[in-house]
């Protein structure tokens, strides 16, 4: 009897996990070398309502696009050389991260590790 209850609880947990994950719509998550990385807008990313203006700022400033062979995903690590990082203007966010454009995508990066913490889309 106890094993049946545990089995039912495991199935219920497996079914409800995607629903709980979907409810967290303000969180960007990814899995790349080193495990999961989660950055919420409150943790210093670019808020959803600021993203269009931030993208326009990137175009206006003519930020160079860097090409790398790897995919651009949250949790990915950018190369040590060949990429320039810029401070995010306070108009768009107060954040410890820097931004750059890689493979045509604007990303926020943790400066010390060069790990992508948000893809701004």
């Amino acid at each position: 009897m106890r094993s049946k209850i545990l089995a039912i609880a495991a199935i219920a947990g497996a079914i409800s996990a995607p629903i709980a994950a979907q409810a967290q719509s303000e969180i960007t998550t990814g899995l790349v070398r080193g495990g999961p990385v989660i950055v919420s807008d409150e943790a210093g990313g670019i808020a959803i309502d600021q993203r269009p203006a931030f993208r326009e700022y990137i175009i206006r400033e003519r930020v160079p696009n860097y090409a790398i062979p790897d995919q651009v995903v949250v949790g990915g690590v950018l190369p040590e050389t060949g990429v320039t990082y810029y401070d995010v203007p306070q108009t768009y966010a107060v954040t410890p991260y820097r931004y750059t454009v890689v493979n045509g995508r604007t990303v926020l990066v943790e400066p010390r590790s060069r790990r992508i913490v948000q893809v701004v889309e």
Side-chain angles (χ1 to χ4, degrees):
M1 180 70 175
R2 185 174 186 174
S3 63
K4 287 183 181 180
I5 291 172
L6 290 175
I8 291 171
I11 291 170
I15 291 172
S16 64
I19 295 169
Q22 188 175 12
Q24 299 176 1
S25 62
E26 295 296 313
I27 294 179
T28 306
T29 182
L31 182 61
V32 173
R33 294 181 245 152
V37 175
I38 299 175
V39 175
S40 70
D41 292 334
E42 295 79 28
I46 305 295
I48 291 173
D49 61 335
Q50 287 293 323
R51 292 177 191 170
F54 185 64
R55 283 192 301 271
E56 289 176 17
Y57 168 80
I58 301 297
I59 293 167
R60 204 171 46 247
E61 292 297 310
R62 296 183 179 158
V63 175
N65 178 41
Y66 299 94
I68 62 170
D70 298 328
Q71 286 186 334
V72 177
V73 294
V74 171
V77 178
L78 296 179
E80 282 187 58
T81 59
V83 179
T84 302
Y85 303 99
Y86 305 92
D87 292 329
V88 175
Q90 290 184 354
T91 305
Y92 305 105
V94 176
T95 180
Y97 306 121
R98 295 198 171 177
Y99 76 90
T100 192
V101 179
V102 181
N103 295 353
R105 301 176 81 187
T106 302
V107 296
L108 289 187
V109 178
E110 199 288 315
R112 289 186 184 160
S113 66
R114 302 173 325 280
R115 185 174 300 277
I116 299 171
V117 296
Q118 184 180 31
V119 178
V120 182
E121 297 186 297

